[in-house]
Amino acid sequence: VGGAGTVYDPAKTDKTYARIDKAGRPGYFTRAPTAKAVVKDDGTTLLFVYDGKDYGAKGTDWFSVAEAEAIDPYNEDVPWYGKRSTVTKVVFDPSFAAYRPKQCGSWFYDFGVLAAVDGLKNLDTSVATNMAFMFSDCSSLTSLDVSGFDTAKVTDMTYMFYGCSSLEA
């Protein structure tokens, strides 16, 4: 069964069905899960997902989390950095719990209007080694529950909460 529900038909075995199954374009394959950061249509919510959906739809910006993991958090900006002045909320979808980022450094650096992070329990940090600047300069955040973070492999937390002047103990 393809990702959109196309059921295998022995009468249809030519190359036409050797593609990812989509509405209006049947196929026998399913898009492999990928980790993405998706800016919702309202422009204020950054949603992290790990699934095979195509978020390249009109009016939606999506970014590769793998690209963010490949950056040097001391010298480069994450792919969604350009949204830092409009994103007020970050949501980690339950699907993201199946993803294991190798580093989260600078993910929300300088997101000054970011006021809430929901579903943080869906961010599995068990293999992450770098969290430097992760929430640095998120001056509008008032609370953040990181008690579920597994930091056993983290070697760098430099300035992780620097400038988070509104966080309460």
Side-chain angles (χ1 to χ4, degrees):
V1 177
T6 299
V7 178
Y8 176 74
D9 180 345
K12 298 178 181 175
T13 57
D14 67 357
K15 65 181 180 181
T16 306
Y17 285 79
R19 62 183 176 203
I20 293 174
D21 192 23
K22 293 183 179 182
R25 191 172 170 207
Y28 294 139
F29 300 118
T30 302
R31 184 177 305 279
T34 55
K36 299 175 185 171
V38 182
V39 178
K40 303 277 279 222
D41 288 335
D42 66 1
T44 64
T45 304
L46 183 62
L47 172 67
F48 284 79
V49 295
Y50 182 61
D51 60 25
K53 295 179 184 173
D54 182 5
Y55 286 94
K58 188 176 182 180
T60 303
D61 293 323
W62 69 270
F63 307 94
S64 165
V65 173
E67 286 179 33
E69 288 183 81
I71 67 141
D72 174 354
Y74 287 95
N75 297 310
E76 299 175 59
D77 298 329
V78 292
W80 51 86
Y81 185 72
K83 302 298 180 180
R84 71 189 180 283
S85 62
T86 59
V87 171
T88 59
K89 184 177 184 179
V90 168
V91 177
F92 287 94
D93 184 81
S95 65
F96 203 76
Y99 188 69
R100 311 286 184 272
K102 295 174 186 78
Q103 74 103 356
C104 310
S106 295
W107 275 19
F108 310 109
Y109 168 69
D110 199 25
F111 273 59
V113 296
L114 178 62
V117 180
D118 293 345
L120 204 52
K121 67 182 180 193
N122 298 318
L123 174 57
D124 184 338
T125 59
S126 62
V127 300
T129 58
N130 189 316
M131 295 176 129
F133 301 96
M134 187 172 178
F135 297 102
S136 185
D137 292 319
C138 289
S139 56
S140 296
L141 274 177
T142 57
S143 67
L144 198 59
D145 182 3
V146 295
S147 62
F149 278 5
D150 178 347
T151 58
K153 294 186 179 176
V154 176
T155 58
D156 192 351
M157 289 184 174
T158 306
Y159 295 112
M160 187 171 171
F161 301 103
Y162 178 81
C164 292
S165 54
S166 298
L167 277 179
E168 298 177 8

